[in-house]
Every structure is written in C-alpha cells, then in structure tokens.
Amino acid sequence: MALTPKEYEGMNQKASPNSPLGKDMLLAFLIGGAICTLGQFFIELYTMAGLDAELASGTASVTLVFLSVLFTGLNLYDKLARLGGAGTLVPITGFANAVSAPALEFKSEGLILGIGVKMFSIAGPVIVYGVAASVIYGLILFLFQLF
Amino acid sequence: MELFLTYLKAFLVGGAFCAIGQIFIDKTKLTPARILVGYVVSGVILSGLGLYQPLVDFAGAGASVPLTGFGHLLAKGVREGLAEKGLFGILSGGLTATAGGIAAAIIFALIIALIFKPGDKT
C-alpha cells in the first residue's frame, strides 16, 4: 500500500491516542470547508442553469451525496476521512458515506440482511431522531397557533 | 469579488461546523452516529428558534451542507407542511423536504454496494 507522507501523518495521528486537538481541528476545518465550498460551486452552477435557490441547493446536496458514495465505493472516502476526521463526517457527504460504507462492507451477508439492513445502521438513528425532533417542533408550533 | 466572498463564507462557516465536530471526536467518547444525530437535532432546534435560515442566507452551502442543514430542512418542511396541510403536514413535511437527499443516498449506496467490492480494512 503506497502512502504519501501526508496520508501517513494523517493515519498516524488518527491512531495515536494523544492527537493534538488544534491540528485535528485545523484539518477538519480545511477539509470540511473545502467540501462545503464544492457544494457552493454546485449551487452556483445549478443557479446559472436556471434552477431556483431551493432546487439548486437540493440538487447540489444530491450531487455531493453521489460523489461521496462513488468515493466510498472506490475506497477513497475512507482515506480522506482518516485525514479530515469530522471534516468528512459532519457534511452531508459523511451521511452518504455512513449509508454506503456499511452497505458495501456487509454485502456478503446478503441483499436483505446485509445491504438492506446495514445501510441504516447510522442513517437510521439520524432519521429517527431528526424526524422525532421535527414533529415535536411542529406540535409546539401548532399549539402556539391555538393560543 | 462577490463570487469569491460567497465561496469564502461557505468555506469558513462549513469549516467551523466541522472543527466543532472534531472537538466532539477528540474530547468525548461520542461515536460518529451520536455526533450525526446531535447535529441533525441541533439543526432542528436552531431552525425552530429562527437562527438557521439567516445562517443559510449568509453562508449558503456552508450552512446547508453540514448535517445541521439536514435538520434545518426537516424543521422547515414541518413548518411549511403545517401551514399548508395542518396537523397532517407536521407528519409529512419533514420527510417530504428531505426526501431527495435520503432517496439519493439510498439509491446510490444500493448501486455501489451491488457493483463494487468491499475494500480491505487496514
């Protein structure tokens, strides 16, 4: 396995227990910021193509999801994640990676119990608690409207 | 110049969300799943408090791409669902607004899981 010194440094840091927080945060900032900047590039692109703001933003997110899943399949997102830490987890690409990586990893366990089930091992809780929080918010809004 | 500023704001705000996440990774025992759940729920709350839409207006993808943006979309969808469909909209609004992203992740993940081989975990 060929590694550039930079990749090795990132892996080394991930493996060592006392990784310096400042450096980790800087890497997360740079890589996460770069992913968001790429998202902004797609928003600008789709806006120029005539999509309205909401649709351009949604389509940009879907594009990032596609790229992330493709990189996961090519085994490249993993490498980026070792370097970027939260910079690759927090953006929507991290969510897409969390859906696709276990689906791929457990495909040997079958279409249903492997791919189908494992796909939601991280995305499941995110959707469950996201939806729960939003429904609670909706009920609060509804009650405020009554009084 | 204005376009450069747009990109800069996306970079700085998006980067800041990720740098905060790195603190949780380094300084707590929270797993990635817990951190993502925390970001989505935080996004719902920030959106409910009326704080997240201004951030999206300011930073664009810097606010919509981090998972807090997913939470914001859920809350925004519920808000619009309630306005348009009443109580039923509270249930349908969130997933309607986020359906594109979720379906994309599911479909693309299914395709790559079918055609790619798992990499070795080193």
Side-chain angles (χ1 to χ4, degrees), chain A residues 24 29 40 86 90 92 107 137, chain B residues 22 26 61 65 67 79 113 116:
Chain A
D24 284 358
F29 181 82
Q40 189 64 45
V90 168
I92 195 158
K107 74 182 281 191
Y137 165 59
Chain B
Q22 192 63 44
D26 281 12
V65 168
L67 255 265
R79 208 153 47 227
F116 284 88

Side-chain angles (χ1 to χ4, degrees), chain A residues 21 24 28-30 32-34 36-37 40-41 44 66 69 73-75 82 86 89-92 104 107 111 126 130 134 137-138, chain B residues 6-7 11-12 14-16 18 21-22 26 36 40 48 60-61 65-67 74-75 78-79 90 108 112-114 116 118-119 122:
Chain A
L21 179 64
D24 284 358
F29 181 82
L30 292 176
C36 293
T37 307
Q40 189 64 45
F41 167 76
E44 302 296 333
F66 170 73
V69 172
L74 296 170
N75 218 17
R82 279 181 205 136
L89 173 69
V90 168
I92 195 158
L104 183 58
K107 74 182 281 191
L111 287 175
V126 170
S134 71
Y137 165 59
Chain B
T6 307
Y7 283 120
F11 179 77
L12 293 177
C18 297
Q22 192 63 44
D26 281 12
L36 289 186
V40 169
V65 168
L67 255 265
L74 280 170
V78 164
R79 208 153 47 227
I90 295 176
F108 297 145
I112 71 115
L114 290 175
F116 284 88
T122 44

Side-chain angles (χ1 to χ4, degrees), chain A:
Chain A
M1 183 168 159
L3 283 174
T4 65
K6 212 170 180 184
E7 277 174 337
Y8 179 76
E9 204 185 330
M11 286 170 66
N12 197 18
Q13 215 166 79
K14 195 90 189 168
S16 59
N18 284 324
S19 49
L21 179 64
K23 197 172 182 190
D24 284 358
M25 282 177 71
L26 184 65
L27 278 171
F29 181 82
L30 292 176
I31 291 180
I35 292 173
C36 293
T37 307
L38 183 65
Q40 189 64 45
F41 167 76
F42 287 124
I43 291 179
E44 302 296 333
L45 191 70
Y46 296 139
T47 304
M48 273 199 305
L51 301 192
D52 70 39
E54 203 165 301
L55 202 52
S57 175
T59 311
S61 293
V62 167
T63 309
L64 286 181
V65 166
F66 170 73
L67 289 174
S68 167
V69 172
L70 182 66
F71 272 57
T72 302
L74 296 170
N75 218 17
L76 294 172
Y77 202 84
D78 237 31
K79 294 196 171 102
L80 189 66
R82 279 181 205 136
L83 191 67
T88 55
L89 173 69
V90 168
I92 195 158
T93 51
F95 176 78
N97 173 252
V99 172
S100 53
L104 183 58
E105 194 184 336
F106 290 95
K107 74 182 281 191
S108 60
E109 292 183 18
L111 287 175
I112 305 300
L113 294 179
I115 295 175
V117 170
K118 300 294 184 182
M119 200 180 266
F120 290 97
S121 52
I122 290 178
V126 170
I127 294 170
V128 168
Y129 294 105
V131 167
S134 71
V135 168
I136 291 169
Y137 165 59
L139 288 173
I140 293 171
L141 273 185
F142 177 71
L143 290 175
F144 268 98
Q145 282 177 358
L146 289 181
F147 301 107

